[in-house]
């Protein structure tokens, strides 16, 4: 149960210190009094789910935006885009998306893959690749400083994570530009075409990341890369295909990031069952696996920690497909405590949802998640900071907005 009476003890460890400690594979709980596992929303609730949380908490006298920011130990940063406004529904890669309704909200679905018909690598020479200089790099340092500042402008309050859109997701971009099925076919039957596209996509991310780190590299704690390599039951492509076609571009980006910001951790996002390719990702240079979809095949926390816990840190691990939307509050609380104990042993774990929290997830379960990760004292302190004058105290798991 969360503390019901008296004042919660303040945590003397700053969010940034908490993150950096666990990334060194030291348990924050053992490093200083009041230390605990770090927490990050990462993708966070979808806009529709955020609206539900806002209404639920408002009825209980708790301000959702304040609570959301109070518990997040990591902020994601990226230089702001400059130049002409993009064409409606079309991104910088000329991918076209359209919103589709699922009843409670909408999602964007790709309706035009600009590279789908290209079969000749030479045709990529004339493609209108995006400009990596079309960003406000001059103002980026101030942007990072503003994002990481804590209460009363305290410097370095939160850890800074340089976003995927700056560090890179080259194969994912190629799949969006070509279509997933055709991309996977091309990896096998037209690998030179894939390499030619990945070279240009990687050039873009390398140039953008280099400019960003040149002005604010000393402020960045995590370099955030991505490429989805797994499905629910296994890899989307063989390990050999990954090594032959994709790994060289990952290695290039990871090495560049480490050269320009040697103190920063390389975090890599992939959904799905990626256990078998983790040795190759480690070889390429990752320090942190993100998403950690433990309800995918072969991704049990105990197995991951035993096999890779000395070489990898983990970020994620709280299931948004199964546990959060489907379990009762007590099960959410006890299962997340188990996940935290398993991954957090000897450090190396940042608790987070595996992806965006979807509509249909009970708000009580989201708050039970926070209570399980933060512990009673920090959970109560966060609620106290977010509580409006009419807020009320209630038992933690029977109604976590206490």
């Amino acid at each position: 149960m969360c503390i019901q009476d008296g004042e919660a003890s303040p945590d003397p460890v700053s969010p940034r210190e908490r993150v950096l400690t666990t990334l060194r594979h030291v348990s924050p709980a053992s490093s200083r009094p009041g230390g605990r596992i770090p927490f990050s929303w990462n993708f966070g609730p979808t806009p529709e789910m955020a609206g539900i949380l806002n209404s639920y908490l408002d009825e209980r006298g708790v301000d959702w935006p304040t609570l959301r920011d109070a518990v997040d130990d990591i902020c994601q940063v990226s230089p702001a885009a400059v130049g002409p406004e993009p064409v409606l529904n079309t991104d910088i890669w000329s991918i076209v998306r359209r919103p589709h309704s699922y009843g409670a909200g909408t999602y964007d679905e790709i309706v035009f893959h600009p590279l789908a018909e290209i079969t000749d690598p030479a045709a990529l020479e004339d493609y209108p690749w995006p400009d990596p200089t079309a960003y406000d790099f001059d103002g980026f340092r101030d942007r990072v400083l503003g994002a990481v500042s804590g209460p009363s402008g305290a410097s370095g309050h939160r850890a800074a994570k340089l976003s995927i859109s700056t560090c890179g997701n080259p194969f994912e971009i190629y799949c969006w530009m070509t279509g997933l099925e055709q991309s996977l076919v091309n990896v096998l039957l037209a690998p030179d075409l894939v390499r030619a596209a990945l070279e240009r996509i990687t050039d873009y991310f390398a140039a953008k990341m280099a400019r960003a780190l040149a002005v604010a590299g000393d402020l960045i704690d995590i370099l955030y890369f991505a490429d989805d390599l797994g499905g629910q039951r296994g890899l989307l492509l063989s390990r050999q295909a990954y090594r032959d076609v994709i790994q060289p571009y990952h290695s290039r980006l990871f090495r560049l990031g480490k050269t320009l910001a040697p103190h920063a951790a390389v975090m890599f996002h992939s959904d799905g069952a990626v256990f078998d390719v983790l040795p190759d990702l480690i070889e390429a240079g990752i320090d942190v696996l993100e998403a950690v979809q433990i309800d995918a095949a072969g991704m049990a926390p105990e197995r991951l920690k035993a096999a890779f816990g000395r070489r990898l840190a983990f970020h994620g691990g709280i299931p948004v497909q199964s546990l959060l939307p489907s379990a009762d509050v007590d099960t959410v609380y006890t299962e997340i405590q188990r996940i935290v104990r398993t991954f957090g042993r000897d450090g190396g774990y940042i608790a987070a949802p595996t992806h965006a929290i979807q509509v249909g997830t009970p708000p009580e379960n989201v708050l039970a998640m926070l209570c399980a990760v933060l512990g009673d004292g920090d959970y109560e302190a966060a609620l106290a900071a977010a509580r409006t004058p009419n807020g009320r105290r209630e038992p933690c798991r029977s109604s976590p907005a206490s």
Side-chain angles (χ1 to χ4, degrees), residues 142-335:
D142 287 340
R143 188 180 178 94
V144 177
L145 288 170
V148 300
S149 63
S152 304
S155 177
H157 180 69
R158 292 191 290 176
K161 177 173 70 175
L162 191 60
S163 73
I164 291 169
S165 64
T166 300
C167 293
N169 51 335
F171 185 62
E172 185 172 51
I173 296 291
Y174 177 71
C175 290
W176 292 344
M177 297 180 80
T178 306
L180 177 59
E181 183 176 350
Q182 189 60 52
S183 296
L184 295 176
V185 169
N186 289 349
V187 167
L188 296 178
L189 302 183
D192 287 343
L193 175 64
V194 180
R195 292 187 185 102
L198 290 179
E199 187 70 35
R200 287 157 180 81
I201 296 168
T202 301
D203 286 345
Y204 165 85
F205 284 119
K208 184 179 178 184
M209 179 170 58
R211 285 175 176 263
L213 292 177
V215 298
D218 59 312
L219 303 176
I220 302 300
D221 302 301
I222 298 168
L223 304 171
Y224 191 25
F225 302 86
D227 268 327
D228 286 332
L229 303 174
Q232 198 70 27
R233 296 181 178 85
L235 296 174
L236 297 178
L237 69 172
S238 71
R239 282 187 66 187
Q240 192 60 50
Y242 169 76
R243 293 178 65 87
D244 289 346
V245 181
I246 301 171
Q247 190 190 46
Y249 303 98
H250 284 165
S251 296
R252 177 185 164 192
L253 288 172
F254 302 163
R255 284 198 305 268
L256 177 64
K258 280 291 194 181
T259 298
L260 298 175
H263 59 281
V266 170
M267 179 182 286
F268 182 82
H269 165 90
S270 177
D271 295 326
V274 294
F275 185 94
D276 291 343
V277 80
L278 289 180
D280 305 310
L281 287 166
I282 293 170
E283 180 184 275
I286 76 167
D287 302 305
V288 187
L289 177 66
E290 199 280 303
V292 196
Q293 192 181 334
I294 66 172
D295 42 10
M299 295 288 286
E302 296 80 5
R303 187 182 188 218
L304 286 167
K305 187 72 173 182
F308 300 108
R310 293 180 181 273
R311 293 179 287 171
L312 279 181
F314 301 96
H315 177 292
I318 298 175
V320 300
Q321 287 180 306
S322 52
L323 181 68
L324 285 184
S326 302
D328 61 72
V329 168
D330 282 342
T331 300
V332 168
Y333 182 85
T334 56
E335 177 61 10

Side-chain angles (χ1 to χ4, degrees), residues 43-54 64 102 104-106 356-357 359:
F43 293 98
T46 65
E48 297 82 12
M49 185 63 202
I52 291 170
L53 283 166
N54 190 69
W64 158 245
Y102 61 88
T106 63
I357 300 173
V359 169

